[in-house]
Amino acid sequence: IQLTQSPSSLSPSVGDRVTITCRASQGISSFLAWYQQKPGKAPKLLIYAASTLQSGVPSRFRGSGSGTDFTLTISSLQPEDVATYYCQQLNSYPITFGQGTRLEIK
Amino acid sequence: EVQLVETGGGLIQPGGSLRLSCAVSGFTVNSNYMSWVRQAPGRGLEWVSVIYSGGSTYYADSVKGRFSISRDNSKNTVDLQMNSLRAEDTAMYYCARLNCYPGSCQGGWFDPWGQGTLVTVSS
């Protein structure tokens, strides 16, 4: 199952609402997770089961979608949100990740 | 405290072998689903392998037949034996727990992650 993220990169301003999309090549129900990876660090889980916020993750992060189309939304961008974001599916093996969306601050 | 610490990375020539280890604290590896995920320099994440609590293993096609995942319950570690290494295996290798629903890993997600160990395959 291929996951295609869009856009590949974006440069919003602090306080902006940010939306990242992940499209699956076939239906995966709600079997999608989102990760944040800061430079030189390991990925960090943000959201699983498409919309469940991991404990300790700020509420400005929200996941939605099912089937083939999914969205990660940051309601009000903060400077510490600069990172690359990945989606991941485990509807079936092999486990796959999207190619990543690089988020910078304008 | 839950912690995963990977060791064993380094510089290895093409065709060589390397064994990575992931030392886990805070939970037991034999009761969980443990996985390896890698990231080539400047590239995205690629799942490599998983070992289930029951012992079943799965591999990405890119490493099948060359890599082998195992665990040592007495040491609470998960290992990745890598043989016939190629330049394209150069990457940071992360150990992570695959969280699954009771009875099925469909919908599973990775958390927590280790800090990674770097493998460089080059002559």
Side-chain angles (χ1 to χ4, degrees), chain A residues 31 33 35 37 41-45 48-49 54 86 88 90-91 93-95 97-99, chain B residues 37 39 43-47 50 52 58 94 98 101 105-111 113-114:
Chain A
F31 300 143
Y35 301 86
Q37 186 179 33
K41 299 294 186 180
K44 172 189 172 184
L45 176 70
Y48 62 94
Q54 171 69 348
Y86 295 93
Q88 170 252 316
L90 209 190
N91 178 76
Y93 282 100
I95 300 170
F97 292 86
Q99 82 279 13
Chain B
V37 176
Q39 185 171 36
R43 305 295 296 273
L45 301 169
E46 180 189 18
W47 170 73
V50 65
Y52 280 19
Y58 296 88
Y94 295 102
L98 178 63
Y101 296 103
C105 265
Q106 194 175 30
W109 60 94
F110 297 108
D111 181 69
W113 297 63

Side-chain angles (χ1 to χ4, degrees), chain A residues 68-101:
Chain A
T68 59
D69 294 312
F70 301 84
T71 299
L72 174 68
T73 301
I74 308 173
S75 59
S76 178
L77 187 68
Q78 300 302 302
E80 60 266 31
D81 299 336
V82 170
T84 300
Y85 293 83
Y86 295 93
C87 56
Q88 170 252 316
Q89 70 81 25
L90 209 190
N91 178 76
S92 60
Y93 282 100
I95 300 170
T96 51
F97 292 86
Q99 82 279 13
T101 295

Side-chain angles (χ1 to χ4, degrees), chain A residues 95 97, chain B residues 5-8 19-23 33-39 46-51 58-60 67-70 77-82 92-98 110 113 116-117 119:
Chain A
I95 300 170
F97 292 86
Chain B
V5 179
E6 302 94 332
T7 56
R19 190 175 185 90
L20 308 183
S21 187
C22 172
Y33 301 79
M34 299 301 299
S35 196
W36 288 91
V37 176
R38 68 183 181 183
Q39 185 171 36
E46 180 189 18
W47 170 73
V48 174
S49 181
V50 65
I51 183 166
Y58 296 88
Y59 298 92
F67 290 12
S68 178
I69 191 171
S70 62
T77 58
V78 179
D79 290 351
L80 186 68
Q81 177 66 42
M82 305 186 296
M92 182 71 78
Y93 284 74
Y94 295 102
C95 174
R97 181 175 64 190
L98 178 63
F110 297 108
W113 297 63
T117 187
V119 173

